[in-house]
Amino acid sequence: QVQLLESGGGLVQAGGSLRLSCAASGSIFSINAMGWYRQAPGKQRELVAVIGRGGVTNYADSVKGRFTISRDNTKNTVHLQMNNLKPEDTAVYYCNAQIIARDYSGMDSWGKGTLVTVSS
């Protein structure tokens, strides 16, 4: 059994910063890509940022220059530093991880989400 637990969401004024964290736990052998997605009311879930095991990153154009994704492979954690937040960043943010379990099965795992609200 594998779990992803997000933390760090909250209410912040436009221009402020938040740092999201996600910890993977359970029967994990290794983790390939990890990333953050978000879903705003009435919109599709979209990729915000992804980071490969070797550190290669990719960002949505809307967050480039403002958000930074990082990971610690020894702790099975991934983080998203969000700076200069805008009201349009308001969404539920979900952690995603491509996990190889100890029984060698692969799975695309999701956290339950953490709410980020940016006021103007």
Side-chain angles (χ1 to χ4, degrees), residues 27-79:
S27 184
I28 298 170
F29 175 73
S30 66
I31 303 176
N32 292 327
M34 303 185 79
W36 291 92
Y37 290 70
R38 68 187 181 188
Q39 188 166 21
K43 293 188 176 182
Q44 293 282 322
R45 185 175 298 188
E46 65 174 349
L47 187 145
V48 178
V50 64
I51 182 167
R53 183 171 180 84
V56 177
T57 59
N58 189 40
Y59 297 90
D61 288 342
S62 60
V63 307
K64 285 182 178 178
R66 299 188 297 121
F67 292 9
T68 302
I69 189 170
S70 61
R71 66 187 288 172
D72 186 337
N73 292 336
T74 66
K75 298 179 180 178
N76 290 333
T77 58
V78 63
H79 308 275

Side-chain angles (χ1 to χ4, degrees), residues 65-100:
R66 299 188 297 121
F67 292 9
T68 302
I69 189 170
S70 61
R71 66 187 288 172
D72 186 337
N73 292 336
T74 66
K75 298 179 180 178
N76 290 333
T77 58
V78 63
H79 308 275
L80 186 69
Q81 179 66 45
M82 304 185 293
N83 297 327
N84 192 24
L85 283 160
K86 302 176 180 180
E88 50 263 45
D89 295 318
T90 295
V92 176
Y93 284 70
Y94 297 91
C95 179
N96 171 258
Q98 297 175 358
I99 293 174
I100 300 174

